[in-house]
Amino acid sequence: MSDGLLAEAEWVRVEATLGLTADTQSARGQFFTPEQAAVLIASMPHLPFGDPIKVLDPGAGSGMLTAAIVERLVSEAPSRKVEVRSVEVDASLIPALERTAGLCRDWAYSHGADVSVNVVQGDIIEHSTGLESQLKEEFDVVVMNPPYLKLGAGSPQRRALESLGWDAPNLYAAFLAIGVEALKPGGQLVAITPRSFANGPYFGQFRRKLLQQLAINRLHTFESRSTVFSDNGVLQENIVFSATKTRERGPVLITASQDHLGTITQRLVPYPELVSPLDQQQFIRIMIDDNDAQATTVIAALPATLNDLGLSVSTGRIVDFRVRENLTAQPTPACLPLVYPGNLRNGEVLWPRSMGKAQGFEIRREEDHRALMPEGCYVLVKRFSAKEERRRIVAAMWTPERNGNVPVAFENHLNVFHTRGYGLDFDVGWGLCLWLNSTVVDRYFRTFSGHTQVNATDLRSLRYPDAETLRYLGQTVGTLPDQKELDTLVDSVLGDKVTA
């Protein structure tokens, strides 16, 4: 790697990582950027036109990203001055960061380039908020691998960002907000982050403000969740994206790879294909290949919303640790059914089922009745799944005929489709269950959901077949077919063919 700069910076990173305990990394959300990932990240921003080129690395760690961006800028623009500010809050990492900064300066000097790296020990959020901000619209490039840590509503970092008009529910979102604030107009931000901000209500306000300020130019995703930080055992699904601080919206290059360097797919898409201007939620939809795009076309053409169908979806009402006194390991004549995700099997609800979870819910007080759904048919979707599972959306149907004509309690890790709080028409409900389990829905869902949770908000955002089509589909087969047969059935009913 270019006379050894990045190889030496990688040794510094490895040594710094070995000096951290797993508890420390977890508490601070610290996961240092490996060499190959740093090369990919540093390759993504457009080369700025200014002289000097001013760069900010706001969560520098051992300085791997600093080294990668210096290596690229010196290689491509050796006659221009480069000024880098590398900020790190952890004082124990400053010696490693200073070593890497020294490597960068020496390597640049040996190549006839003028590079300065200013190491700052401190909290980037404190440096970026308040009346004496030193970072406001100062930098041409911001490059980051931010820490991943949930921020409570009352946390100092979250309150500090609110003073700048941002709602940052996670530390990585706070760093992205700081990066936007630090950029000059037309400046470039490139970051490796969890994909979780791309959809859902949790990051809704943050996502909308981010997309108002930045235009995404390129987005890269990894086929394996364990690729990026494999030496840290991190299974977070990550993306790398570069964006410009501008109101102009041009085509976006979407790439995907199995590992850091080997590109599998590449697509250039119009900006509205990534973020639809008609989508109030402003979901970021990552269509990796033509099959994803075709699935999106099919779903977008469907005629109905849940409201059109007269249906609703909400999370199950039972949070088990809060109602332990109501739970029974096995059903008794005095209790009602309690359904967990583990009860969902092959489109049906197997209840009761021996699985280490309570199967009964006893009414002990009058207010306990509010936790129940009335007797009837309900379509259930697991709220949590893994990317490596065959389907992200796993649906099953609770029916009085199979499960008993009694009120039922659904645990909070389930999404429940209902008719304004009551049961569904059987045929419509079974058709809905079949449709939700199809590959076309799964493909579409994966374009905007990169984490393990299936939110009720995500399900509300879908378009659906009309009631007549769902009823027809529900009358076609009585049990969940294998995936190929189900997809053929759904394709024929919808009138479109989607290749799995």
Side-chain angles (χ1 to χ4, degrees):
M1 289 287 184
S2 301
D3 300 343
L5 171 61
L6 297 191
E8 290 188 63
E10 174 69 357
W11 276 111
V12 176
R13 182 192 75 87
V14 172
E15 289 179 2
T17 300
L18 292 174
L20 298 174
T21 66
D23 289 344
T24 298
Q25 284 186 286
S26 177
R28 292 178 173 165
Q30 291 176 317
F31 301 102
F32 299 156
T33 315
E35 178 183 359
Q36 289 185 319
V39 171
L40 171 65
I41 296 164
S43 73
M44 290 182 66
H46 301 311
L47 199 62
F49 294 103
D51 192 358
I53 301 172
K54 301 186 71 173
V55 179
L56 173 66
D57 184 352
S62 68
M64 192 70 235
L65 271 179
T66 292
I69 197 69
V70 166
E71 190 274 344
R72 182 192 168 194
L73 293 176
V74 169
S75 298
E76 296 186 20
S79 64
R80 292 155 66 185
K81 185 177 181 180
V82 177
E83 298 177 356
V84 183
R85 188 181 303 179
S86 300
V87 183
E88 174 54 47
V89 69
D90 188 346
S92 71
L93 295 174
I94 296 302
L97 183 54
E98 289 281 13
R99 282 176 59 194
T100 302
L103 291 171
C104 290
R105 288 187 287 262
D106 293 345
W107 181 85
Y109 180 80
S110 71
H111 285 70
D114 185 357
V115 172
S116 64
V117 181
N118 178 26
V119 172
V120 178
Q121 194 273 311
D123 187 330
I124 188 64
I125 298 177
E126 291 182 0
H127 277 263
S128 307
T129 56
L131 298 177
E132 298 180 359
S133 170
Q134 303 175 37
L135 304 178
K136 188 72 172 177
E137 295 191 344
E138 183 179 348
F139 294 90
D140 301 289
V141 177
V142 176
V143 58
M144 69 170 73
N145 170 16
Y148 310 161
L149 198 65
K150 185 176 180 179
L151 295 178
S155 68
Q157 298 97 328
R158 196 161 178 177
R159 290 200 304 269
L161 267 297
E162 287 172 356
S163 70
L164 298 177
W166 293 88
D167 176 42
N170 193 291
L171 198 52
Y172 83 81
F175 270 66
L176 288 174
I178 293 303
V180 173
E181 296 293 329
L183 278 177
K184 296 176 180 177
Q188 289 268 303
L189 181 145
V190 58
I192 182 167
T193 74
R195 189 177 162 182
S196 52
F197 77 94
N199 72 296
Y202 189 63
F203 286 94
Q205 184 177 339
F206 167 80
R207 181 174 58 250
R208 286 187 286 270
K209 185 171 177 65
L210 184 78
L211 294 174
Q212 287 172 357
Q213 302 288 319
L214 296 180
I216 296 175
N217 312 120
R218 181 179 170 188
L219 193 150
H220 185 90
T221 185
F222 302 94
E223 292 294 298
S224 172
R225 292 171 65 196
S226 60
T227 293
V228 184
F229 301 109
S230 56
D231 57 351
N232 289 311
V234 178
L235 295 180
Q236 171 71 53
E237 184 172 356
N238 293 280
I239 59 173
V240 184
F241 71 94
S242 64
T244 304
K245 193 172 185 177
T246 180
R247 298 280 182 174
E248 298 179 9
R249 302 289 183 265
V252 182
L253 180 63
I254 298 177
T255 56
S257 64
Q258 181 65 36
D259 52 27
H260 301 100
L261 300 177
T263 298
I264 294 176
T265 62
Q266 178 172 303
R267 297 180 71 238
L268 188 67
V269 305
Y271 203 88
E273 190 172 309
L274 183 77
V275 183
S276 171
L278 302 178
D279 180 7
Q280 293 183 348
Q281 298 291 334
Q282 292 289 277
F283 285 2
I284 299 172
R285 304 176 189 275
I286 306 173
M287 290 171 245
I288 295 174
D289 56 28
D290 291 340
N291 290 327
D292 290 344
Q294 189 176 5
T296 299
T297 299
V298 171
I299 299 299
L302 293 174
T305 64
L306 278 182
N307 192 56
D308 295 332
L309 295 168
L311 304 183
S312 304
V313 61
S314 53
T315 56
R317 298 171 180 173
I318 299 297
V319 180
D320 55 7
F321 67 85
R322 294 177 180 169
V323 291
R324 289 191 181 97
E325 70 277 10
N326 297 84
L327 307 184
T328 61
Q330 294 297 326
T332 69
C335 71
L336 293 165
L338 173 58
V339 179
Y340 281 84
N343 292 101
L344 276 58
R345 286 291 183 274
N346 298 318
E348 300 180 356
V349 178
L350 299 185
W351 180 90
R353 180 169 179 258
S354 179
M355 58 180 200
K357 293 288 187 180
Q359 296 292 287
F361 183 83
E362 289 188 355
I363 301 295
R364 292 181 175 272
R365 297 172 298 274
E366 185 62 29
E367 57 265 28
D368 292 339
H369 288 280
R370 292 198 293 268
L372 304 173
M373 299 292 286
E375 58 272 14
C377 299
Y378 299 95
V379 173
L380 311 176
V381 173
K382 292 182 180 181
R383 284 184 58 201
F384 294 90
S385 63
K387 183 184 179 186
E388 290 78 10
E389 286 187 349
R390 186 164 57 91
R391 287 198 313 273
R392 188 67 64 89
I393 296 181
V394 178
M397 191 168 176
W398 171 275
T399 67
E401 292 79 11
R402 185 182 299 120
N403 302 116
N405 191 31
V406 293
V408 56
F410 296 117
E411 196 267 337
N412 190 247
H413 289 87
L414 289 168
N415 293 300
V416 184
F417 284 87
H418 50 91
T419 306
R420 307 292 191 256
Y422 294 90
L424 305 170
D425 173 88
F426 177 87
D427 290 334
V428 170
W430 180 236
L432 174 63
C433 182
L434 293 170
W435 181 75
L436 287 168
N437 281 311
S438 67
T439 296
V440 65
V441 174
D442 183 71
R443 273 197 179 277
Y444 176 74
F445 188 81
R446 287 173 185 264
T447 65
F448 65 82
S449 177
H451 50 84
T452 59
Q453 186 165 353
V454 179
N455 299 302
T457 299
D458 297 333
L459 296 172
R460 294 185 195 109
S461 76
L462 298 177
R463 295 196 67 80
Y464 292 80
D466 59 30
E468 181 181 355
T469 301
L470 290 175
R471 182 173 288 107
Y472 175 79
L473 184 61
Q475 293 171 344
T476 305
V477 293
T479 58
L480 186 68
D482 65 41
Q483 196 65 53
K484 184 175 181 180
E485 183 182 348
L486 175 62
D487 292 339
T488 299
L489 173 62
V490 169
D491 289 348
S492 66
V493 170
L494 294 182
D496 291 284
K497 301 295 181 182
V498 178
T499 304

